[in-house]
Amino acid sequence: MAKMTPRTLSGFMELLPAPQQQMERIMETLRHTYSLYGFTPLDTPVIESSEVLLAKAGGETEKQIYRFQKGDSDLSLRFDLTVPLAKYVALHYNDLTFPFRRYQIGKVYRGERAQRGRFREFYQADIDIIGDGKLSIINEAEIPAIIYKTFSTLGLKRFQIRVNNRKILNGFYAMLGLTEKSADVMRTVDKLDKIGPEKVKALLVEEFAVSESDADEILKFISITGDNNAVLSALEGYLGRNEIFDQGLEELKTVVRYLGDFGVPAENFAVDLTIARGLDYYTGTVYETTLLDHPEIGSVCSGGRYDNLAEFYTDRQLPGAGISIGLTRLFYVLGEQGMLNPELPTSPADVLILPMTEDLSAAISLATKLRESGIRTQLHCEQKKFKQKVSYADKLSIPYVIFLGEDEINAGIVACKEMKTGEQTKLNVEETIARIQAGLAELEKGAVILE
Amino acid sequence: MAKMTPRTLSGFMELLPAPQQQMERIMETLRHTYSLYGFTPLDTPVIESSEVLLAKAGGETEKQIYRFQKGDSDLSLRFDLTVPLAKYVALHYNDLTFPFRRYQIGKVYRGERAQRGRFREFYQADIDIIGDGKLSIINEAEIPAIIYKTFSTLGLKRFQIRVNNRKILNGFYAMLGLTEKSADVMRTVDKLDKIGPEKVKALLVEEFAVSESDADEILKFISITGDNNAVLSALEGYLGRNEIFDQGLEELKTVVRYLGDFGVPAENFAVDLTIARGLDYYTGTVYETTLLDHPEIGSVCSGGRYDNLAEFYTDRQLPGAGISIGLTRLFYVLGEQGMLNPELPTSPADVLILPMTEDLSAAISLATKLRESGIRTQLHCEQKKFKQKVSYADKLSIPYVIFLGEDEINAGIVACKEMKTGEQTKLNVEETIARIQAGLAELEKGAVILE
């Protein structure tokens, strides 16, 4: 028969079993952490009606959409988890209780130009808190805690949650009478790291007709750095000149004030006035998270406060705050950087049983007992040579192999070999289970990401 | 602004938060159970190249495919998890170790006619064991154990795993010289429950030119029922007439023989000669699982042994055995039947903290401690009346509410109310945590499905 050469589409991540296990661990950590903060899991369709999904979209986004006709229906694959959330909240408004806290980890689709490390199908892991009419600033203050808990649980220490408030930026530009130009100005200021202050100034003056003195003010403003208190003090100097600014500073102070109570160490947090987040969507606190030793990766967790989640679907004012982790890209980058802990078990099983008798009753009963004790167990009953069976355990990094022959069965004991050390014990079933459980607990001790 | 009316496509399940929590529990149970039997999680793209995905498909299946063009690419959404597995195994053959045991829980797409309880996007939860060239019968014997463990962990008792072997059927029809007609005959025999033995016989004779005596033989054969030993004894009577039959009976006896060792109670298992599974794909043991009190639901977990997983992609012989649960439909039916345990927690949090002071430090510190103890915690800091805040906990069925006022903070105690009983304790933080943890353990005790 003629064969079709199997292939996976480029831009679509398909992992081998060992890295997939690491990915699963990360997802499990996210689910667990998000749950601790009172977020409920949500799952929405991958396909939506195009007119619903694209009510807002336009330009670049629309070009990337996977959009197609099925029968009479114009359908699209979701390109993020925010628009489906907006639809969900507007549609199910009467059945929800607000503030509504949800997390969603799901695949989204963007037909971007294929290139290394860019994916067309990728997981986003989002949390959002949606208020009905109003939403307390405390929710914005809590988000750094969730980011901290998530990344520290994953094993990272050297990361920084950078926080700003759009009201401070908007208020500041209003002071200078630059509100109209603020989007252009912020986009230019964003290039600071790349092109330096002088070129930024030149661009502001030449391209956007900002006065020399205003450009100097802007550069002075965004060069406010230091520890949180130093930055807040410097910002106090601008108080009383613009209401929005004052409000933003008050909010930022609240966020900073409760960091310690929320369990966020000072070294993992920084007020950073250069953070704006491209989207004009955000209206209050904004977040970016960077790995200190890998600034080239960019932000691994971003988000912020917005005033109107579902304005395309409902007249209700639904303000919210949320963050998103681009999980597939993060996983890819961690792999590239060799940051995935190779010591953590990635085997499909904890124990491989090699029956050495014709009758398999004893081996199967033992497997059943191990499984009842929560130990992931495989029986190897294929017609292979002994050496091949041991090599199977080796290749899959199965930590324990049990040999069960006539002698062991008659003596009521189990010969169990720890593959890493070669150490073999001959103990009864209960003792063997206890030994394996202790060993597995030891193996599970590390975190999934190494720095 | 003109609003777009939000809607979700028909045939696409989108759950409210409480049922979603129940769905998550079921998925977590499946992941855990499948892992215990040494299956590794896999995740493959939802989108595949049409020529790869549809290498085998045709007829009905092809009509249901979500297929579309993106740029120059002809793409399709997967319609099951088996074809992607075949592709995966053929593509990554050199990187896999065999037997390869994987589970996958993922969404698949079929553009079926919309009707109640039928879904166009639905989860399948599959396990498969793939051998390289050969695969021991013990894998087929193990599958009833996995089905039993899965459904009993979910809370079901009154279900039956029905097992047959295609070799017995094929061998039997070969004895009668009906091999050519066996597909038609089996399809007709499949109608036994619906139309009764006389009409089946009439159909066999009139439509498929089966002789009267052969039709009687067939009806006699498929009416072999009783406990496993009775059925096996009756089958012994056919031994020696066809090699395939003899082989099938030997396999079936092996499957039955080890049931007890695999922990499957006799009452949850039955040899059933009427089980054939429509697909000509299966070549050995076949499985169906029915809920005894809800036969109308049909099989909730089906599968079997096949000889050639990836014949469209590779010349290698890759036999396997697997089962699939149609999770979305199962969940829908369980909901319809009122079989989802309403006693299990579906709240987004275990505890709601209501701060009663201006300064939130104490409340936030307490939330941090609870979260560090694994307790899912929300802070309610919105500007609402006290009554509204308590009603928030009520609506979401949050089991514990903590009131934290000046008095409690000064006294170093926590006022914690169990919402169900109304019982309020005033204990220190550690004691409160212990009390909540004990209460939650109690709440978690039930299974997700009720009979």
Coordinates of all heavy atoms in Angstrom, one line a residue, chain A residues 1 3-4 7-8 14-15 36 38 43 46 49 51 65 70 87-88 92 107 121 123 136 139 142 257-258 261 311-312 315 359-360 368 371 377-378 382, chain B residues 1 3-4 7-8 14-15 36 38 43 46 49 51 65 70 87-88 92 121 123 136 139 142 257-258 261 311-312 315 359-361 368 371 377-378 382:
Chain A
M1 N 0.8 -1.2 0.0 CA 0.0 0.0 0.0 C 0.9 1.2 0.0 O 1.9 1.3 0.7 CB -0.9 0.0 1.3 CG -2.0 1.0 1.2 SD -3.1 0.7 2.7 CE -2.2 1.5 3.9
K3 N 2.2 4.7 1.1 CA 2.1 5.3 2.4 C 2.2 6.9 2.3 O 2.8 7.4 1.4 CB 3.4 4.9 3.2 CG 3.6 3.4 3.4 CD 2.4 2.8 4.1 CE 2.6 1.2 4.1 NZ 1.4 0.5 4.6
M4 N 1.5 7.5 3.2 CA 1.5 8.9 3.3 C 2.6 9.2 4.3 O 2.6 8.6 5.4 CB 0.1 9.4 3.8 CG 0.0 10.8 4.4 SD 0.4 12.0 3.1 CE -0.8 11.5 1.9
R7 N 3.6 13.8 9.1 CA 4.3 15.0 9.5 C 3.3 15.8 10.4 O 2.1 15.6 10.4 CB 4.7 15.8 8.3 CG 3.6 16.4 7.5 CD 4.1 17.3 6.4 NE 3.1 18.2 5.8 CZ 2.1 17.8 5.0 NH1 2.2 16.6 4.5 NH2 1.2 18.6 4.6
T8 N 4.0 16.7 11.1 CA 3.2 17.6 12.0 C 3.4 19.0 11.4 O 4.5 19.3 11.0 CB 3.7 17.5 13.4 OG1 3.5 16.2 13.9 CG2 3.0 18.5 14.4
E14 N 4.6 19.6 19.2 CA 4.2 18.2 19.5 C 5.4 17.6 20.2 O 6.4 17.4 19.7 CB 3.9 17.5 18.2 CG 3.4 16.1 18.4 CD 2.9 15.4 17.2 OE1 3.8 15.0 16.3 OE2 1.7 15.4 17.0
L15 N 5.2 17.4 21.5 CA 6.3 17.0 22.4 C 6.5 15.5 22.5 O 5.5 14.7 22.4 CB 6.1 17.5 23.8 CG 6.1 19.0 23.9 CD1 5.6 19.4 25.3 CD2 7.4 19.6 23.6
L36 N -5.5 28.2 44.4 CA -5.3 28.7 45.7 C -5.8 30.1 45.9 O -6.1 30.5 47.0 CB -3.8 28.6 46.1 CG -3.2 27.3 46.4 CD1 -1.7 27.4 46.7 CD2 -3.9 26.7 47.6
G38 N -8.4 31.3 44.6 CA -9.9 31.4 44.4 C -10.4 31.6 43.0 O -11.4 32.1 42.8
D43 N -13.7 26.5 30.7 CA -13.3 25.9 29.4 C -14.3 26.4 28.4 O -15.5 26.2 28.6 CB -13.4 24.4 29.5 CG -12.9 23.6 28.3 OD1 -12.2 24.3 27.4 OD2 -13.1 22.4 28.2
V46 N -13.1 26.1 21.3 CA -12.0 26.6 20.4 C -12.6 27.3 19.2 O -12.0 28.3 18.7 CB -11.1 25.4 20.0 CG1 -10.1 25.8 18.9 CG2 -10.4 24.8 21.2
S49 N -18.3 31.6 16.5 CA -18.9 32.3 15.3 C -18.0 33.5 15.0 O -17.6 34.3 15.9 CB -20.3 32.8 15.6 OG -20.6 33.8 14.8
E51 N -18.5 36.4 13.6 CA -19.0 37.7 13.9 C -18.9 38.0 15.4 O -18.7 39.1 15.8 CB -20.4 38.0 13.4 CG -21.4 37.0 13.9 CD -22.9 37.4 13.5 OE1 -23.0 38.5 12.8 OE2 -23.8 36.7 13.9
I65 N -6.1 35.3 11.9 CA -7.2 34.4 12.3 C -7.3 33.1 11.4 O -7.3 33.2 10.2 CB -8.6 35.1 12.3 CG1 -8.5 36.4 13.1 CG2 -9.7 34.2 12.8 CD1 -8.4 36.2 14.6
K70 N -18.2 26.6 7.4 CA -18.6 25.2 7.5 C -20.1 25.2 7.3 O -20.9 25.7 8.2 CB -18.2 24.6 8.9 CG -18.7 23.2 9.2 CD -17.9 22.1 8.6 CE -18.4 20.7 8.9 NZ -17.9 19.7 7.9
K87 N -17.2 37.2 25.9 CA -18.4 36.6 25.5 C -19.1 35.8 26.5 O -20.3 35.9 26.8 CB -18.1 35.7 24.3 CG -19.3 35.1 23.6 CD -19.0 33.7 23.1 CE -18.9 32.7 24.3 NZ -18.7 31.3 23.9
Y88 N -18.3 35.0 27.2 CA -18.8 34.2 28.3 C -19.5 35.0 29.4 O -20.6 34.7 29.8 CB -17.7 33.4 28.9 CG -18.1 32.3 30.0 CD1 -18.4 31.0 29.6 CD2 -18.1 32.7 31.3 CE1 -18.7 30.1 30.6 CE2 -18.5 31.7 32.3 CZ -18.7 30.4 31.9 OH -19.1 29.5 32.8
H92 N -23.4 34.8 30.0 CA -23.9 34.1 31.2 C -24.0 35.0 32.4 O -24.0 34.5 33.6 CB -22.9 32.9 31.5 CG -22.8 31.9 30.4 ND1 -23.8 31.1 30.0 CD2 -21.7 31.7 29.6 CE1 -23.3 30.3 29.0 NE2 -22.1 30.7 28.8
K107 N -5.6 26.2 24.4 CA -4.9 26.5 23.1 C -5.6 27.6 22.4 O -6.8 27.7 22.3 CB -4.9 25.2 22.2 CG -4.0 24.1 22.7 CD -4.1 22.9 21.8 CE -3.0 21.9 22.2 NZ -3.0 20.7 21.4
E121 N -0.2 27.4 17.1 CA -1.1 26.8 18.1 C -0.4 26.9 19.4 O 0.7 26.3 19.5 CB -1.5 25.4 17.8 CG -2.3 24.7 18.8 CD -2.5 23.2 18.6 OE1 -1.6 22.4 18.7 OE2 -3.6 22.8 18.2
Y123 N -0.6 27.4 24.0 CA -1.4 27.5 25.2 C -1.2 28.9 25.8 O -0.1 29.4 25.9 CB -0.9 26.5 26.2 CG -1.4 25.1 26.0 CD1 -0.7 24.1 25.4 CD2 -2.7 24.8 26.5 CE1 -1.2 22.8 25.2 CE2 -3.2 23.5 26.3 CZ -2.5 22.5 25.7 OH -3.0 21.3 25.5
S136 N -12.4 46.5 43.3 CA -11.5 47.1 44.3 C -10.0 47.0 43.8 O -9.6 46.0 43.1 CB -11.6 46.3 45.6 OG -10.5 46.5 46.4
N139 N -7.7 43.8 44.3 CA -7.5 42.8 43.3 C -6.2 43.0 42.4 O -5.5 42.1 42.1 CB -8.7 42.7 42.3 CG -9.9 42.3 43.1 OD1 -10.1 41.2 43.5 ND2 -10.9 43.2 43.3
E142 N -3.3 42.1 44.5 CA -3.1 40.7 44.7 C -2.4 40.0 43.6 O -1.7 38.9 43.8 CB -4.5 40.0 44.9 CG -4.5 38.6 45.4 CD -5.9 38.1 45.7 OE1 -6.8 38.4 44.8 OE2 -6.2 37.4 46.7
R257 N 2.1 48.8 49.1 CA 1.9 48.7 50.5 C 1.6 47.3 51.0 O 2.1 46.9 52.1 CB 0.7 49.6 50.9 CG 0.3 49.5 52.3 CD -0.9 50.5 52.6 NE -1.4 50.3 53.9 CZ -2.5 50.8 54.3 NH1 -3.3 51.5 53.4 NH2 -2.9 50.7 55.5
Y258 N 0.8 46.5 50.2 CA 0.4 45.2 50.7 C 1.3 44.0 50.2 O 1.0 42.9 50.5 CB -1.0 44.9 50.4 CG -2.0 45.8 51.2 CD1 -2.9 46.7 50.6 CD2 -2.0 45.7 52.6 CE1 -3.7 47.5 51.3 CE2 -2.8 46.5 53.3 CZ -3.7 47.4 52.7 OH -4.6 48.2 53.4
D261 N 2.5 41.6 52.9 CA 1.4 40.8 53.5 C 1.0 39.7 52.5 O 0.6 38.7 52.9 CB 0.2 41.7 53.8 CG 0.5 42.7 54.9 OD1 1.2 42.4 55.8 OD2 0.1 43.9 54.7
E311 N -17.4 45.4 26.3 CA -18.1 46.5 25.7 C -18.7 46.2 24.4 O -19.6 46.9 23.9 CB -17.2 47.7 25.7 CG -16.0 47.5 24.8 CD -15.1 48.8 24.8 OE1 -15.7 49.9 24.8 OE2 -13.9 48.7 24.7
F312 N -18.2 45.2 23.7 CA -18.7 44.9 22.3 C -20.0 44.0 22.4 O -20.6 43.8 21.4 CB -17.6 44.2 21.5 CG -16.6 45.2 21.1 CD1 -15.5 45.4 21.9 CD2 -16.7 45.9 19.9 CE1 -14.5 46.3 21.6 CE2 -15.7 46.8 19.6 CZ -14.6 47.1 20.4
D315 N -23.9 46.5 27.5 CA -23.8 47.9 28.0 C -23.3 47.9 29.4 O -22.9 49.0 29.9 CB -25.2 48.5 27.9 CG -25.6 48.9 26.5 OD1 -24.7 49.4 25.8 OD2 -26.8 48.8 26.2
D359 N 2.9 -18.6 35.0 CA 1.7 -18.1 35.5 C 1.9 -16.7 36.0 O 2.9 -16.4 36.8 CB 1.2 -19.0 36.7 CG -0.1 -18.5 37.3 OD1 -0.1 -17.6 38.1 OD2 -1.1 -19.1 36.9
L360 N 1.0 -15.8 35.6 CA 1.3 -14.4 35.9 C 0.5 -13.9 37.1 O 0.5 -12.7 37.5 CB 0.9 -13.5 34.7 CG 1.8 -13.8 33.5 CD1 1.2 -13.2 32.2 CD2 3.2 -13.4 33.7
T368 N -1.5 -4.9 41.0 CA -2.7 -4.3 41.6 C -2.5 -3.7 42.9 O -3.0 -2.6 43.2 CB -3.8 -5.4 41.6 OG1 -3.9 -6.0 40.3 CG2 -5.1 -4.9 42.1
R371 N -0.6 -0.4 42.5 CA -1.5 0.7 42.0 C -2.4 1.2 43.1 O -2.7 2.4 43.2 CB -2.2 0.1 40.8 CG -1.3 0.0 39.6 CD -1.9 -1.0 38.5 NE -1.0 -1.0 37.3 CZ -1.1 -1.9 36.4 NH1 -2.0 -2.9 36.5 NH2 -0.3 -1.9 35.3
T377 N 2.4 1.8 37.8 CA 3.1 0.5 37.6 C 2.8 0.0 36.2 O 1.7 0.0 35.7 CB 2.5 -0.6 38.6 OG1 2.7 0.0 40.0 CG2 3.2 -1.9 38.5
Q378 N 3.8 -0.6 35.6 CA 3.7 -1.3 34.3 C 4.1 -2.8 34.6 O 5.1 -3.0 35.3 CB 4.6 -0.7 33.3 CG 4.0 0.5 32.6 CD 4.9 0.9 31.3 OE1 5.7 0.1 30.8 NE2 4.6 2.1 30.8
E382 N 5.9 -8.9 27.6 CA 6.2 -9.2 26.2 C 7.2 -10.3 26.1 O 8.0 -10.6 27.0 CB 6.8 -7.9 25.5 CG 5.9 -6.7 25.6 CD 4.4 -6.9 25.1 OE1 4.3 -7.4 24.0 OE2 3.5 -6.6 25.9
Chain B
M1 N -22.6 52.5 21.5 CA -22.0 51.6 20.5 C -23.0 50.5 20.3 O -23.6 49.9 21.2 CB -20.7 51.1 21.1 CG -19.8 50.4 20.1 SD -18.2 50.0 20.8 CE -18.6 48.6 21.7
K3 N -24.1 46.8 19.8 CA -23.6 45.6 20.5 C -23.8 44.4 19.6 O -24.8 44.3 18.9 CB -24.3 45.4 21.8 CG -24.2 46.6 22.8 CD -22.8 46.9 23.2 CE -22.7 48.2 24.0 NZ -21.4 48.7 24.3
M4 N -22.9 43.5 19.7 CA -23.0 42.2 19.1 C -23.6 41.2 20.1 O -23.1 41.2 21.2 CB -21.6 41.7 18.6 CG -21.5 40.2 18.3 SD -22.5 39.8 16.9 CE -21.9 41.0 15.7
R7 N -23.1 34.8 21.7 CA -23.7 33.5 21.7 C -22.6 32.5 21.6 O -21.4 32.8 21.1 CB -24.7 33.4 20.6 CG -24.1 33.4 19.2 CD -25.2 33.2 18.1 NE -24.5 32.8 16.8 CZ -24.0 33.7 16.0 NH1 -24.1 35.0 16.2 NH2 -23.5 33.3 14.8
T8 N -22.9 31.2 21.9 CA -22.0 30.1 21.8 C -22.6 29.2 20.7 O -23.8 29.0 20.7 CB -21.8 29.4 23.1 OG1 -21.2 30.3 24.1 CG2 -20.9 28.2 23.0
E14 N -20.4 24.5 26.7 CA -19.8 25.6 27.5 C -20.4 25.6 28.9 O -21.6 26.0 29.0 CB -19.9 26.9 26.8 CG -19.2 28.1 27.5 CD -19.3 29.4 26.6 OE1 -20.3 30.0 26.6 OE2 -18.2 29.7 26.0
L15 N -19.7 25.2 29.9 CA -20.3 24.9 31.2 C -20.2 26.2 32.1 O -19.3 27.0 32.0 CB -19.6 23.8 31.9 CG -19.6 22.4 31.2 CD1 -18.7 21.4 31.9 CD2 -21.1 21.9 31.2
L36 N -1.7 5.6 36.8 CA -1.4 4.5 37.7 C -1.1 3.2 36.9 O -0.4 2.3 37.3 CB -2.6 4.2 38.6 CG -2.8 5.0 39.8 CD1 -4.1 4.6 40.6 CD2 -1.6 5.0 40.7
G38 N 0.5 3.2 34.1 CA 1.8 3.4 33.4 C 1.6 4.0 32.0 O 2.4 3.8 31.1
D43 N 0.0 15.1 24.0 CA -0.8 16.2 23.5 C -0.4 16.4 22.1 O 0.8 16.6 21.8 CB -0.5 17.4 24.4 CG -1.4 18.6 24.0 OD1 -2.4 18.5 23.4 OD2 -1.0 19.7 24.5
V46 N -4.5 20.1 17.4 CA -5.9 20.0 17.0 C -6.0 20.1 15.5 O -6.8 19.5 14.9 CB -6.7 21.1 17.7 CG1 -8.1 21.2 17.1 CG2 -6.8 20.9 19.2
S49 N -2.5 18.6 8.8 CA -2.6 18.7 7.4 C -3.7 17.7 6.9 O -3.7 16.5 7.3 CB -1.3 18.3 6.8 OG -1.4 17.9 5.4
E51 N -4.2 16.1 4.2 CA -3.7 14.8 3.5 C -3.2 13.8 4.5 O -3.3 12.6 4.3 CB -2.7 15.1 2.4 CG -1.5 15.7 2.8 CD -0.4 15.8 1.7 OE1 -0.7 15.3 0.6 OE2 0.7 16.3 1.9
I65 N -15.8 16.4 8.7 CA -14.6 17.0 9.0 C -14.7 18.6 8.9 O -15.3 19.1 8.0 CB -13.5 16.6 8.1 CG1 -13.3 15.1 8.0 CG2 -12.1 17.2 8.4 CD1 -12.8 14.5 9.3
K70 N -5.8 27.5 4.7 CA -5.2 28.7 5.3 C -3.9 29.0 4.5 O -3.0 28.2 4.6 CB -4.9 28.4 6.8 CG -4.1 29.5 7.5 CD -5.0 30.7 8.0 CE -4.3 31.8 8.6 NZ -5.0 33.0 8.7
K87 N -0.2 8.8 13.5 CA 0.7 9.8 12.9 C 1.9 10.0 13.8 O 3.1 9.9 13.4 CB 0.1 11.1 12.6 CG 1.0 12.1 12.0 CD 0.7 13.5 12.5 CE 1.2 13.8 13.9 NZ 1.0 15.1 14.3
Y88 N 1.6 10.2 15.1 CA 2.7 10.4 16.1 C 3.6 9.3 16.2 O 4.9 9.5 16.2 CB 2.0 10.7 17.5 CG 2.9 11.0 18.6 CD1 3.2 12.4 18.9 CD2 3.5 10.1 19.4 CE1 4.0 12.7 20.0 CE2 4.3 10.4 20.5 CZ 4.6 11.7 20.7 OH 5.4 12.1 21.8
H92 N 7.4 9.6 15.1 CA 8.4 9.7 16.2 C 8.9 8.3 16.6 O 9.5 8.1 17.6 CB 7.8 10.3 17.4 CG 7.4 11.7 17.2 ND1 8.2 12.8 16.9 CD2 6.1 12.2 17.2 CE1 7.5 13.9 16.7 NE2 6.2 13.6 16.9
E121 N -18.0 19.7 19.1 CA -16.6 19.7 19.8 C -16.8 18.9 21.0 O -17.7 19.2 21.9 CB -16.3 21.2 20.1 CG -15.0 21.3 20.9 CD -14.7 22.7 21.4 OE1 -15.5 23.2 22.3 OE2 -13.8 23.4 20.8
Y123 N -14.7 16.2 24.1 CA -13.5 15.5 24.6 C -13.6 14.0 24.4 O -14.6 13.4 24.7 CB -13.4 15.8 26.1 CG -12.8 17.1 26.5 CD1 -13.6 18.2 26.8 CD2 -11.4 17.3 26.4 CE1 -13.1 19.4 27.1 CE2 -10.9 18.6 26.7 CZ -11.7 19.6 27.1 OH -11.2 20.8 27.4
S136 N 1.7 -8.5 23.7 CA 1.2 -9.6 24.5 C -0.3 -9.5 24.8 O -0.8 -8.4 25.0 CB 2.0 -9.7 25.8 OG 1.3 -10.4 26.8
N139 N -1.8 -7.3 27.8 CA -2.3 -6.0 27.7 C -3.8 -5.9 27.5 O -4.5 -5.0 28.0 CB -1.6 -5.3 26.5 CG -0.1 -5.2 26.7 OD1 0.4 -4.4 27.6 ND2 0.7 -5.9 26.0
E142 N -5.4 -6.6 30.7 CA -5.3 -5.5 31.7 C -6.4 -4.4 31.5 O -6.7 -3.7 32.5 CB -3.9 -4.9 31.6 CG -3.5 -4.0 32.7 CD -2.1 -3.5 32.5 OE1 -1.7 -3.1 31.4 OE2 -1.3 -3.4 33.5
R257 N -9.1 -15.3 33.0 CA -8.4 -15.9 34.0 C -7.7 -14.9 35.0 O -7.7 -15.2 36.2 CB -7.2 -16.7 33.3 CG -6.3 -17.3 34.3 CD -5.2 -18.1 33.5 NE -4.2 -18.6 34.3 CZ -3.1 -19.1 33.9 NH1 -2.8 -19.1 32.6 NH2 -2.1 -19.6 34.7
Y258 N -7.3 -13.8 34.5 CA -6.5 -12.9 35.3 C -7.4 -11.7 35.9 O -6.9 -10.8 36.6 CB -5.3 -12.3 34.6 CG -4.2 -13.3 34.4 CD1 -3.8 -13.6 33.1 CD2 -3.6 -14.0 35.4 CE1 -2.8 -14.6 32.9 CE2 -2.6 -14.9 35.2 CZ -2.2 -15.2 33.9 OH -1.3 -16.2 33.7
D261 N -7.0 -11.2 39.7 CA -5.7 -10.7 40.0 C -5.6 -9.2 39.7 O -4.9 -8.4 40.4 CB -4.6 -11.5 39.3 CG -4.5 -12.9 39.8 OD1 -4.7 -13.2 41.0 OD2 -4.4 -13.8 38.9
E311 N -0.9 1.8 9.5 CA -0.6 1.2 8.2 C -0.6 2.3 7.1 O -0.1 2.0 6.0 CB -1.6 0.1 7.9 CG -3.0 0.5 7.9 CD -4.0 -0.6 7.5 OE1 -3.6 -1.5 6.7 OE2 -5.1 -0.6 8.0
F312 N -1.3 3.4 7.3 CA -1.3 4.4 6.2 C -0.1 5.3 6.2 O 0.2 6.0 5.3 CB -2.6 5.3 6.4 CG -3.8 4.5 6.0 CD1 -4.4 3.8 7.0 CD2 -4.3 4.5 4.7 CE1 -5.6 3.0 6.7 CE2 -5.4 3.8 4.4 CZ -6.1 3.0 5.4
D315 N 5.3 1.0 7.0 CA 5.3 -0.4 6.7 C 5.4 -1.2 8.0 O 5.2 -2.4 8.0 CB 6.4 -0.8 5.8 CG 6.1 -0.4 4.3 OD1 4.9 -0.4 4.0 OD2 7.0 0.1 3.6
D359 N -7.5 49.1 57.4 CA -6.2 48.5 57.0 C -6.4 47.0 56.8 O -6.9 46.3 57.6 CB -5.2 48.8 58.2 CG -3.8 48.2 57.8 OD1 -3.6 47.0 57.9 OD2 -3.0 49.0 57.4
L360 N -5.9 46.6 55.6 CA -6.1 45.2 55.2 C -5.0 44.3 55.5 O -5.0 43.1 55.2 CB -6.4 45.2 53.7 CG -7.7 46.0 53.3 CD1 -7.8 46.1 51.8 CD2 -9.0 45.3 53.9
S361 N -3.9 44.8 56.1 CA -2.7 44.0 56.3 C -3.0 42.6 57.0 O -2.6 41.6 56.5 CB -1.7 44.7 57.2 OG -1.3 45.9 56.5
T368 N -2.7 34.9 53.0 CA -1.4 34.3 52.6 C -1.1 33.0 53.4 O -0.7 32.0 52.8 CB -0.3 35.3 52.8 OG1 -0.6 36.5 52.0 CG2 1.1 34.8 52.3
R371 N -3.4 30.2 52.2 CA -3.0 29.7 50.9 C -1.7 28.8 51.0 O -1.6 27.8 50.3 CB -2.8 30.8 49.9 CG -4.0 31.5 49.5 CD -3.9 32.9 48.9 NE -5.1 33.4 48.4 CZ -5.3 34.7 48.2 NH1 -4.4 35.6 48.4 NH2 -6.5 35.1 47.7
T377 N -8.4 30.4 48.9 CA -8.9 31.5 49.6 C -9.2 32.7 48.7 O -8.4 33.1 47.8 CB -7.8 31.9 50.7 OG1 -7.5 30.8 51.5 CG2 -8.3 33.1 51.6
Q378 N -10.3 33.4 49.0 CA -10.6 34.6 48.4 C -10.7 35.7 49.5 O -11.2 35.4 50.5 CB -11.9 34.6 47.6 CG -11.9 34.0 46.3 CD -13.2 34.2 45.5 OE1 -14.1 35.0 45.9 NE2 -13.3 33.4 44.4
E382 N -14.5 44.3 48.2 CA -15.3 45.2 47.4 C -16.1 46.1 48.3 O -16.4 45.7 49.5 CB -16.3 44.5 46.5 CG -15.6 43.5 45.5 CD -14.5 44.1 44.7 OE1 -14.7 45.1 44.1 OE2 -13.4 43.5 44.7

